[in-house]
Amino acid sequence: MPSEQNALLAQVPLTVSPFVTLPKAPTLPHNYASIPSTLPPSILNTDSDDPSAPPTYVTSGTGFRAHPSTIITQNKALCDQLDTAASDSRKKIHDWRQAIDERELAEKRRKAPGWLDSDAKILRPATTVPPPDTKPGASLLDADEQNTDALRPQESANDMGSQMDRAFG
């Protein structure tokens, strides 16, 4: 099979383009020296006071030098600080909302004392005592014409005032 491919390629004419240049081997300077297989110790941490400290080969433009493990521990400490600040702020927001709810509840209790403190939330109308000459199961509609005067309240000026006093406390 390789001979068939070569025969096929031999039939394709080659053209030389003036725009394409083939790569050439680079010329090495006369003082070229190959890199050794092992690197010498770093010279970046020569100014360190602690010789057991890891080499500081990460240097910023401001002159800050650090080892990657030092940077990682600083980043973890910063993340922990941000997490605690976020949890503290969530707690403050929760306390703030709870204080607002407590103030609103206190205002409601001031307007209606005893209403929010009891479990009885159903309002029932006050029952009135029927006049003595009516039957307990009798209705106003069932009353005959003679007893209608007995069932109607007496409308005098004194009665009206007492009813207003009862209604408005």
Side-chain angles (χ1 to χ4, degrees), residues 28 31-38:
L28 297 175
N31 60 355
Y32 172 76
S34 63
I35 297 177
S37 61
T38 60

Side-chain angles (χ1 to χ4, degrees), residues 11 69 78 120 125 135 139 166:
Q11 295 175 4
S69 64
L78 180 61
K135 298 175 190 169
S139 170
R166 273 186 264 130

Side-chain angles (χ1 to χ4, degrees), residues 4-167:
E4 292 173 9
Q5 287 177 353
N6 291 340
L8 185 62
L9 288 176
Q11 295 175 4
V12 177
L14 290 177
T15 59
V16 177
S17 171
F19 303 108
V20 177
T21 57
L22 296 175
K24 297 179 183 173
T27 356
L28 297 175
H30 67 285
N31 60 355
Y32 172 76
S34 63
I35 297 177
S37 61
T38 60
L39 294 175
S42 174
I43 60 167
L44 293 178
N45 93 0
T46 55
D47 58 341
S48 174
D49 296 337
D50 187 11
S52 65
T56 56
Y57 54 85
V58 177
T59 307
S60 71
T62 61
F64 175 74
R65 298 178 182 182
H67 189 267
S69 64
T70 308
I71 295 171
I72 289 170
T73 55
Q74 288 175 350
N75 287 342
K76 286 182 180 177
L78 180 61
C79 285
D80 292 342
Q81 182 181 1
L82 290 175
D83 289 342
T84 56
S87 66
D88 289 347
S89 63
R90 274 190 230 107
K91 185 181 181 305
K92 285 181 182 178
I93 289 172
H94 176 72
D95 292 344
W96 175 65
R97 287 183 179 159
Q98 191 173 7
I100 289 173
D101 292 342
E102 287 175 1
R103 274 183 288 182
E104 288 176 355
L105 184 63
E107 180 68 18
K108 289 175 184 175
R109 282 191 175 140
R110 186 183 68 78
K111 290 180 181 176
W115 171 254
L116 296 173
D117 299 328
S118 66
D119 291 334
K121 299 293 184 196
I122 299 173
L123 293 177
R124 292 191 182 109
T127 58
T128 59
V129 179
D133 58 339
T134 61
K135 298 175 190 169
S139 170
L140 287 176
L141 299 175
D142 296 337
D144 54 350
E145 292 182 14
Q146 292 96 10
N147 291 339
T148 54
D149 293 336
L151 293 177
R152 283 191 195 141
Q154 298 295 329
E155 296 187 33
S156 67
N158 194 12
D159 249 355
M160 199 57 118
S162 64
Q163 286 179 1
M164 296 278 283
D165 286 344
R166 273 186 264 130

